[in-house]
Amino acid sequence: MSTVVYMVRHGESPKEGNDRTRGLTGKGYLDAQRVTDILKDEKIDAVVSSPYIRSILTVEKIAQQIGQEVLVFEDLKERIFSSENKRLADKELVQILEKSFFDSNFSLEGGESNADCQKRAIKVLKELLDTLRNKKVVIGTHGAIMTLMMGYFDSTYDLNFLHSTSKPDIYRMEFNEQELLHVQRIWGVSISVKQ
């Protein structure tokens, strides 16, 4: 038996607003439904999420389908890039990410480093792998923290990987206890894109 974790990166969200409370755009809601459709036959046992609204909204219908609430973990929130709670401009974010993946202890004042973010997220993930052993778990997440969690087990999940992901995105990770056995991207593979 193995534990299966579905990392679900949240759907598209508005560019402005508070990082914690930004929801989804119209496209984000449509994509959240597609995420639900893709995972509906996977026999999910639990749905976990970052506390950020866009992440919860992306996975909450999966929880409804199995008659459960989304279990929210504060330490699964996206990496804190700066002391302000607003979204950084894309150009600024790209520069910070490049420095961060070059030096895992780099952070802006009031922000956290990749190393600190990875440490808090992995603590939660390891607890989930213990408490939900041999179960199937969906984790509603974000690009940077998802990459850091996956990169903890396999260093090929790095900045290039992060840049290759989409919103939303789904990665199926199979574990034997706390050893990562296999990763498969199932978002791009299992959907047909309508033009």
Side-chain angles (χ1 to χ4, degrees):
M1 288 288 287
S2 58
T3 306
V4 177
V5 173
Y6 297 89
M7 291 284 183
V8 178
R9 186 182 186 189
H10 66 79
E12 184 182 273
S13 61
K15 298 250 186 226
E16 58 285 324
N18 180 293
D19 213 31
R20 187 174 278 270
T21 58
R22 277 188 291 131
L24 296 173
T25 61
K27 179 183 184 308
Y29 277 106
L30 289 173
D31 284 340
Q33 184 57 55
R34 289 164 77 190
V35 167
T36 305
D37 292 344
I38 288 168
L39 295 176
K40 72 174 186 283
D41 296 326
E42 295 296 316
K43 297 184 171 60
I44 303 299
D45 295 292
V47 180
V48 170
S49 179
S50 149
Y52 290 9
I53 300 302
R54 60 192 182 276
S55 181
I56 295 169
L57 290 172
T58 303
V59 298
E60 73 178 356
K61 283 202 164 121
I62 301 164
Q64 288 167 4
Q65 278 187 342
I66 62 171
Q68 292 185 19
E69 298 284 316
V70 176
L71 305 172
V72 174
F73 288 83
E74 182 66 24
D75 280 346
L76 291 179
K77 68 186 174 211
E78 180 58 300
R79 180 181 157 201
I80 300 162
F81 292 102
S82 70
S83 55
E84 279 108 59
N85 231 354
K86 64 182 195 307
R87 184 183 186 278
L88 294 171
D90 287 345
K91 190 177 170 188
E92 202 180 353
L93 191 58
V94 166
Q95 291 173 339
I96 292 168
L97 285 169
E98 282 175 3
K99 287 181 183 171
S100 299
F101 278 89
F102 179 73
D103 172 7
S104 65
N105 291 306
F106 168 80
S107 67
L108 294 178
E109 191 174 333
E112 69 183 333
S113 66
N114 272 4
D116 289 339
C117 178
Q118 184 184 61
K119 189 175 172 185
R120 69 167 158 84
I122 284 299
K123 185 171 185 282
V124 175
L125 181 54
K126 285 184 168 184
E127 285 170 8
L128 291 171
L129 289 171
D130 275 347
T131 56
L132 297 168
R133 187 170 296 165
N134 301 326
K135 305 277 189 202
K136 292 184 174 182
V137 187
V138 167
I139 298 181
T141 188
H142 308 267
I145 193 166
M146 175 180 82
T147 301
L148 292 170
M149 285 190 280
M150 293 170 75
Y152 175 84
F153 297 98
D154 180 344
S155 62
T156 61
Y157 296 101
D158 57 8
L159 184 59
N160 290 330
F161 166 76
L162 173 57
H163 287 320
S164 77
T165 63
S166 60
K167 290 180 187 173
D169 215 335
I170 309 171
Y171 291 86
R172 182 185 188 277
M173 302 176 71
E174 192 174 338
F175 290 89
N176 175 22
E177 297 191 6
Q178 302 209 347
E179 178 195 358
L180 178 62
L181 303 176
H182 181 71
V183 178
Q184 178 189 8
R185 182 176 190 231
I186 60 175
W187 171 253
V189 183
S190 20
I191 60 169
S192 58
V193 179
K194 294 186 175 89
Q195 298 297 344

